[in-house]
């Protein structure tokens, strides 16, 4: 048990932190919605009612989609684009998908290679892109969920303000949908840009996301 | 995750969306029917009991009695044409009126009635919270 925790401490930390912040968000969101309900002459709702509502779903989904988009872009674009000096990048000249030997696929597999790495055709293509594909799938589903829950949440708000509801298509073209979407995208893209550029010049001793402290700024693809 | 799961999730999401839009339509329409039945019967007390508390308070301005004020408005009403329910809010369109309701623990109550549209602006309503 102790060994399991130590070997998986990074995942466990983020899992627990994720659950705690999600619960925290549910209570903060409930207080916000109830203040809104009471001020518009409505009735306060329970915690369970809130966490199963479109208001909570849209707030969760809009953040999820942008996070998964961020990692999808980071995973896929770093195949083709490099940043000299960044530990997040491959070395200039190494752009591209890599040879079969470099990727240890087909007949170049080693003992312990995943089964589908040694396969050919569609299975190797699928496994060779499985990280990006799954991140992309979660991004699309989260974005779709944001649009569906957003329609319900927006229409509830429209009715509470004595205005007409809109269709799903109308909502997807609305300023509310794009404001929610783009405000998340811009912050995620800025965070990636900061990470790529700042890690050229700044260090975090002991972190694999940083170069070792004494590594020259020009050295690329070196992680500490 | 298996890619074949995608259509299933889309189907569930679509069902969820349509569920949000249809759930509670009938009770909301019944609440509007009861409200207008009371108005037509000149039963102001009953009509006021079917208003959201803040909407009833809004009719009591200047020391007026809600039961009298609601009948003085001569609300038009009519047949139900269509309705929409989103969360705890509903809109019921009648042939001569549009009514907005909120779902309270004791059921649907009228938040606004005698409403006329103003384009993208909120409806202008004779009764509202």
């Amino acid at each position: 048990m102790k060994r399991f925790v130590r070997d998986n401490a990074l995942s466990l930390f983020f899992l627990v932190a994720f659950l705690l912040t999600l619960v925290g968000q549910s209570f903060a969101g409930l207080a916000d919605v109830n203040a809104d309900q009471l001020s518009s002459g409505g009735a306060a709702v329970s915690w369970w009612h809130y966490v199963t509502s479109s208001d909570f779903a849209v707030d969760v989904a809009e953040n999820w989609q942008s996070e998964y988009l961020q990692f999808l872009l980071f995973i896929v674009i770093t195949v083709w684009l490099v940043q000299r000096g960044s530990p997040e990048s491959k070395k200039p000249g190494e752009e591209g998908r890599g040879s079969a030997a470099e990727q240890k696929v087909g007949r170049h597999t080693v003992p312990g290679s995943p089964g589908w790495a040694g396969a050919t055709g569609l299975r190797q293509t699928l496994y060779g892109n499985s990280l990006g594909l799954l991140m992309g799938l979660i991004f699309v589903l989260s974005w779709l969920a944001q649009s569906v829950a957003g329609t319900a949440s927006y229409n509830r708000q429209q009715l509470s303000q004595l205005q007409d509801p809109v269709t799903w298509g109308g909502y997807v073209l609305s300023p509310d949908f794009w404001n929610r979407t783009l405000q998340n995208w811009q912050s995620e893209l800025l965070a990636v840009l900061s990470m790529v550029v700042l890690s050229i010049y700044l260090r975090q001793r002991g972190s694999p996301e940083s170069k070792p402290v004494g590594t020259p700024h020009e050295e690329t693809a070196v992680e500490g | 995750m298996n890619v074949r799961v995608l259509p299933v999730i889309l189907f569930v999401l679509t069902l969820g969306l349509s569920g949000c839009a249809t759930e509670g339509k009938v009770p909301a329409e019944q609440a509007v029917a009861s409200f207008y039945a009371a108005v037509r019967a000149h039963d102001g007390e009953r009509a006021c009991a079917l208003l959201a508390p803040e909407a009833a308070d809004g009719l009591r301005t200047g020391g007026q009695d809600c039961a009298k004020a609601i009948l003085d408005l001569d609300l038009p009403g009519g047949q139900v044409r269509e309705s929409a329910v989103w969360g705890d809010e509903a809109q019921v369109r009648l042939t001569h009126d549009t009514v907005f309701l909120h779902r309270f623990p004791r059921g649907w109550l009228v938040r606004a009635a005698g409403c006329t549209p103003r384009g993208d602006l909120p409806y202008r309503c004779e009764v509202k919270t």
Side-chain angles (χ1 to χ4, degrees), chain A residues 43 141 144 160 162-164, chain B residues 6 10 91 93 111 120 123:
Chain A
L141 290 178
L144 183 66
S160 77
L162 308 183
Q163 291 177 284
D164 288 326
Chain B
L6 181 61
L10 286 174
Q91 180 194 51
R93 290 176 186 273
R111 282 187 59 228
D120 288 338
Y123 279 66

Side-chain angles (χ1 to χ4, degrees), chain A residues 95-161:
Chain A
E95 295 93 332
R97 293 166 47 78
S99 66
E102 286 166 342
Q103 294 293 321
K104 300 184 177 67
V105 293
R107 61 189 172 83
H108 301 282
T109 53
V110 295
S113 286
W116 281 28
T120 53
L122 181 64
R123 280 197 302 165
Q124 190 194 100
T125 303
L126 270 181
Y127 189 69
N129 296 285
S130 54
L131 186 59
L133 284 172
L134 182 60
M135 289 292 188
L137 182 65
I138 299 175
F139 158 65
V140 170
L141 290 178
S142 301
W143 202 19
L144 183 66
Q146 177 197 332
S147 74
V148 172
T151 304
S153 177
Y154 182 74
N155 281 342
R156 185 195 66 76
Q157 201 175 16
Q158 285 284 102
L159 294 182
S160 77
Q161 294 168 350

